[in-house]
Amino acid sequence: MSAPRPIERAAERLRELPNRLGTKGLIATGVGLLAALVVVLVVTDPFGGGGKTETRVVTIAVATDNAQQAPVGTLGFPLVATRNTTRISGPDPTADAAAAALATHPPAPGVKPPQAAIVVPDDDWQAGIAASVLVGPPTRMPVLISGESSVPDATAQALTQLNPSGAGTSGGISVYSAGGAAVPSGFHGGELHGNSAAEIADQFDQLRQRLMKREPEHTVVVSSDEPGYAMPAAAWAARSGDPVLFAGRNDVPAPTLAALRRHAAAAVYVLGPESVISKAVVSQIGRVSASVQRVGASGVVQNALSFARYTDGTFGWNLNDPGHGMELANSDRPLDAAAAAALASSGKWGPLLLTDSADTLPPELRGFLLDIKPGYATDPTRAAYNHIWLMGDATAIGGEVQAEIDELAELAPIANAGQGTSAGGGIGQPPAVESEPNPTQQQGKK
């Protein structure tokens, strides 16, 4: 009998895959078309056995609401990655956070591990958002998610692969635990305690001050009660090193006021409309801070877009042209904001956008992506490109939504663009030169 042909071996592996991988989070690294009826996706499973990264063959799924259950051999676009999107397809934020941590800190010979990691409780989205201030430079600490009495396998295996060193300013601490989140044995831990969102945020701000040894230029105040309005602050905190503090609808907790007084010279930006944080709260903040301004809009989708577009001096993403990275999460999974923070402050930096539906793309989000759709006049290789990370599996962001986002992010020729080569001008936008943010601008003058 002749040996099986490569395509037959690939098909057999596709049929066996569901039993071998289950619902583990996966990150795409490449796509290969093997035959007319079989398309395979080469991925890295960040939770491979023994704490080692391994490459496997993964079936791709058709763009349907039930994309992850698509029959093997059905042609369609890959749910994990398309031309302009990459999905971290965890069934929950715990898996997403572990996958994002390994995507941004891939273990490799000769590469220094992170000095520390942060573990937050799986029922405390406020701690995850507050912890995001340590995710970006210079500390670069990934956020992972755990239970209060047990450590999920995804988190334990991610910590094993990350192998945080405890070096540098962390003073030997390799894992910081917030709010009683469980940490695997063998890691030298430090605990952050608090009985409220404001207390935990205050603790993270003080830890940020000790580790970064500098005053923040800005402070962001978000709602402690409305997670969808607070989520976009996590990406900005990671990008800038600006702390995130919490307020109620009509009150400013004492720990938040204490933190604001510590940073009295920092400009304060309140994220969200008056229905989430009232005028009275803004006035109270104004009495202890140098300046305070409101950013945001009604509706979690529009609020995130307003923050993405906003700019005021050195504060704000100013995302009004093509050539950027972005992350997209479902507002029903607030801890995905913490998981996405590392993606917002490495690779192609960019803001966290939100959807409030897994099955349809909100019209405001569609309009925004169309506004910044990249284009070129004569040479597409000299254009700017958009890339969007999607957080979660098809229950968070459906396959058809991913397909629409991919098309909106795709580079397109600009009609009647005139002579010359576009260096990143979007559809309906003037040419713009693509550039990555300079993290030192947000870390103060040295």
Side-chain angles (χ1 to χ4, degrees), residues 357-378:
S357 170
D359 303 322
T360 59
L361 187 67
E364 302 95 337
L365 180 55
R366 186 183 190 281
F368 171 78
L369 294 175
L370 187 60
D371 284 346
I372 63 168
K373 184 177 177 64
Y376 69 95
T378 59

Side-chain angles (χ1 to χ4, degrees), residues 145-305:
I145 300 169
S146 186
E148 293 186 3
S149 58
S150 63
V151 183
D153 288 343
T155 299
Q157 293 186 34
L159 277 172
T160 298
Q161 293 189 54
L162 290 166
N163 192 27
S165 65
T169 55
S170 62
I173 295 175
S174 57
V175 178
Y176 291 95
S177 171
V183 176
S185 60
F187 292 94
H188 185 193
E191 297 185 4
L192 287 81
H193 298 287
N195 295 319
S196 67
E199 289 182 3
I200 286 290
D202 180 46
Q203 289 288 303
F204 272 114
D205 176 49
Q206 293 185 54
L207 177 60
R208 180 209 65 80
Q209 193 77 359
R210 292 198 302 271
L211 296 177
M212 295 187 185
K213 302 184 185 305
R214 66 172 178 85
E215 283 293 317
E217 189 174 353
H218 323 97
T219 301
V220 182
V221 175
V222 300
S223 171
S224 58
D225 305 313
E226 300 285 345
Y229 285 98
M231 289 172 69
W236 177 256
R239 183 252 186 268
S240 64
D242 293 340
V244 179
L245 304 173
F246 290 98
R249 166 73 174 84
N250 292 306
D251 69 288
V252 184
T256 296
L257 286 173
L260 290 171
R261 290 190 180 100
R262 283 198 303 272
H263 312 308
V268 178
Y269 294 85
V270 173
L271 180 57
E274 291 181 21
S275 59
V276 172
I277 298 178
S278 67
K279 286 183 178 180
V281 166
V282 173
S283 297
Q284 189 174 357
I285 293 172
R287 289 195 287 270
V288 298
S289 300
S291 67
V292 56
Q293 297 185 54
R294 184 188 300 275
V295 184
S298 296
V300 294
V301 174
Q302 189 58 41
N303 185 69
L305 294 175

Side-chain angles (χ1 to χ4, degrees), residues 109-168:
V111 175
K112 289 184 179 180
Q115 61 177 308
I118 304 166
V119 179
V120 300
D122 56 12
D123 60 353
D124 192 347
W125 59 265
Q126 295 97 332
I129 290 176
S132 297
V133 71
L134 298 174
V135 170
T139 46
R140 295 283 188 192
M141 297 181 183
V143 174
L144 298 169
I145 300 169
S146 186
E148 293 186 3
S149 58
S150 63
V151 183
D153 288 343
T155 299
Q157 293 186 34
L159 277 172
T160 298
Q161 293 189 54
L162 290 166
N163 192 27
S165 65

Side-chain angles (χ1 to χ4, degrees), residues 51 55-56 77 90 131 153 157 196 200 210 280 318 322 326 349 371 386 420:
T55 301
R56 298 178 177 176
F77 80 89
D153 288 343
Q157 293 186 34
S196 67
I200 286 290
R210 292 198 302 271
N318 190 21
M326 290 158 271
W349 303 42
D371 284 346
N386 289 341

Side-chain angles (χ1 to χ4, degrees), residues 314-387:
T314 57
F315 182 85
W317 291 101
N318 190 21
L319 206 72
N320 294 291
D321 54 6
H324 302 280
M326 290 158 271
E327 310 82 49
L328 179 65
N330 192 308
S331 60
D332 288 336
R333 291 171 50 151
L335 270 171
D336 269 339
L343 304 170
S345 55
S346 59
K348 288 185 71 69
W349 303 42
L352 176 67
L353 309 179
L354 296 179
T355 180
D356 55 5
S357 170
D359 303 322
T360 59
L361 187 67
E364 302 95 337
L365 180 55
R366 186 183 190 281
F368 171 78
L369 294 175
L370 187 60
D371 284 346
I372 63 168
K373 184 177 177 64
Y376 69 95
T378 59
D379 187 354
T381 64
R382 296 293 179 265
Y385 299 89
N386 289 341
H387 179 268

Side-chain angles (χ1 to χ4, degrees), residues 6-7 10-11 32-40 57:
I7 190 62
L33 180 63
L34 298 186
L37 293 179
V38 179
V39 179
V40 299
V57 180

